Amino acid sequence: MWYVIIDESMKILKANITIDISNGEPQMVEKHRSEWTIENKKKANFDNVARKDILYKILDKSMLSKIKTCITAKEFWEKLTQLCEDNDQTKENKLIVAIQKFDNVKMKPGEIMSEFDERFSNIVCELTTLGKSYSNHKIALK
């Protein structure tokens, strides 16, 4: 299954019997869907399984919205790699945004304390991941 993420969607092929074999190996052409066996259908579905059942389940809503236009698992993976690679500029931008979130965090109307605490903890965790930490005193005051 990893093949469809790294390389591309699987193509279901068959030997082309209308062309002479010159080098000892038959030329391969794509099989028409009506010729697919049950095994061929399973292979062809790997892309959907990889993309929907595996990759979609591990992403949060914000990341998912950035890659939802990708059609194949390979496109999906390349976009994720591009979004998650941290060069210095990207890391600095993420840090600035996270600091702004921390500075501006407030309870939303109708939000219960446990929801706010979870949201706030995620912001603090994000900052820590990006190399910024606050003292327990400052976090408690916030």
Side-chain angles (χ1 to χ4, degrees):
M1 190 176 318
W2 191 245
Y3 166 85
V4 298
I5 293 172
I6 299 301
D7 294 325
E8 59 186 71
S9 300
M10 287 195 162
K11 291 183 177 30
I12 308 302
L13 304 174
K14 68 177 181 178
N16 187 353
I17 56 174
T18 60
I19 297 179
D20 262 349
I21 301 171
S22 57
N23 63 354
E25 293 183 24
Q27 180 186 12
M28 301 303 280
V29 294
E30 236 178 293
K31 262 189 189 181
H32 188 271
R33 239 185 168 90
S34 63
E35 300 175 288
W36 286 5
T37 64
I38 292 172
E39 192 63 34
N40 293 153
K41 290 175 184 176
K42 286 180 184 177
K43 283 182 183 178
N45 195 42
F46 278 168
D47 189 66
N48 289 331
V49 171
R51 187 166 29 100
K52 292 179 183 163
D53 289 348
I54 296 173
L55 297 175
Y56 279 154
K57 288 180 181 177
I58 62 170
L59 299 175
D60 62 10
K61 289 178 186 175
S62 65
M63 188 64 80
L64 194 57
S65 67
K66 294 174 186 173
I67 51 86
K68 68 181 174 186
T69 58
C70 298
I71 296 168
T72 66
K74 180 173 174 50
E75 280 180 67
F76 194 100
W77 184 253
E78 287 171 350
K79 182 74 172 183
L80 272 178
T81 304
Q82 178 186 12
L83 289 169
C84 296
E85 283 181 351
D86 285 338
N87 58 36
D88 291 338
Q89 184 64 44
T90 305
K91 192 172 183 179
E92 186 178 329
N93 290 341
K94 286 180 180 180
L95 182 59
I96 290 167
V97 170
I99 290 170
Q100 288 173 346
K101 282 184 201 174
F102 181 84
D103 291 342
N104 299 325
V105 70
K106 292 181 181 167
M107 279 187 77
K108 296 176 182 177
E111 185 175 38
I112 60 175
M113 190 60 193
S114 62
E115 292 169 338
F116 173 75
D117 185 54
E118 182 178 346
R119 195 164 52 87
F120 182 69
S121 294
N122 287 338
I123 294 169
V124 172
C125 187
E126 183 180 357
L127 283 163
T128 304
T129 302
L130 294 168
K132 175 75 173 165
S133 59
Y134 291 100
S135 68
N136 287 339
H137 179 71
K138 182 157 183 154
I139 291 171
L141 286 176
K142 194 65 176 170

